[in-house]
Amino acid sequence: RPPAVMAPLPCAAVLSLLLATGGWGYEAARLGCHLHPFNVTIKSDSRGSCCSTRTVQACVGYCESSAFPSKYSVLLASGFKHNITSVSQCCTISKMQKVKVRLPCGAGPRAALELFTAKACRCDMCRLSRY
């Protein structure tokens, strides 16, 4: 029996994988969509009078997508212009949480801010922005 030969990935798939993992390292290359911690620096003003670093959660990873020739009924309805149908989902935040952060301001009072962190992730319809 001859050994199985793997077909090479299309260029778009390789580029997508490289883009997805570029800023997040190994974590983004894991299967699925999941929480990933990262540090943010928070400043009270442009001079950084009050400044702190906090770890928050992001959603990283990837979800399934596919493209296939459209059904004849879709071709008819679109005047034969919609010849490819694609189905895709994006890794997105499904639950968020407010986090209170107190910024030390030297000898003065502490500034208090609220920021958001992801609490849960899921594969969902791709959108420009949910929040």
Side-chain angles (χ1 to χ4, degrees), residues 11 28-29 48 59 71 75 107 109-113 119:
C11 291
C59 291
K71 294 180 182 178
L75 289 170
R110 291 178 171 238
L113 296 174
K119 192 169 181 176

Side-chain angles (χ1 to χ4, degrees), residues 20-21 24-38 57-63 90-94 118-123:
T21 60
W24 299 99
Y26 172 75
E27 284 294 313
R30 273 188 9 202
L31 291 177
C33 173
H34 53 274
L35 289 170
H36 179 75
F38 71 100
Q57 299 284 336
C59 291
V60 300
Y62 54 92
C63 305
C90 294
C91 180
T92 189
I93 297 171
S94 59
K119 192 169 181 176
C121 306
R122 72 175 182 195
C123 292

Side-chain angles (χ1 to χ4, degrees), residues 40-60:
V40 292
T41 299
I42 307 143
K43 297 179 181 179
S44 60
D45 55 35
S46 60
R47 293 178 312 209
S49 304
C50 307
C51 183
S52 182
T53 301
R54 177 74 184 227
T55 300
V56 295
Q57 299 284 336
C59 291
V60 300

Side-chain angles (χ1 to χ4, degrees), residues 58-126:
C59 291
V60 300
Y62 54 92
C63 305
E64 285 192 44
S65 66
S66 61
F68 46 89
S70 296
K71 294 180 182 178
Y72 186 70
S73 59
V74 173
L75 289 170
L76 280 176
S78 68
F80 292 89
K81 293 180 182 175
H82 188 98
N83 57 1
I84 297 173
T85 298
S86 62
V87 178
S88 61
Q89 291 188 323
C90 294
C91 180
T92 189
I93 297 171
S94 59
K95 289 184 184 175
M96 289 184 44
Q97 176 180 355
K98 279 186 186 178
V99 177
K100 291 185 180 184
V101 180
R102 294 197 183 273
L103 304 176
C105 301
R110 291 178 171 238
L113 296 174
E114 284 188 340
L115 59 112
F116 288 97
T117 184
K119 192 169 181 176
C121 306
R122 72 175 182 195
C123 292
D124 199 1
M125 182 172 63
C126 300

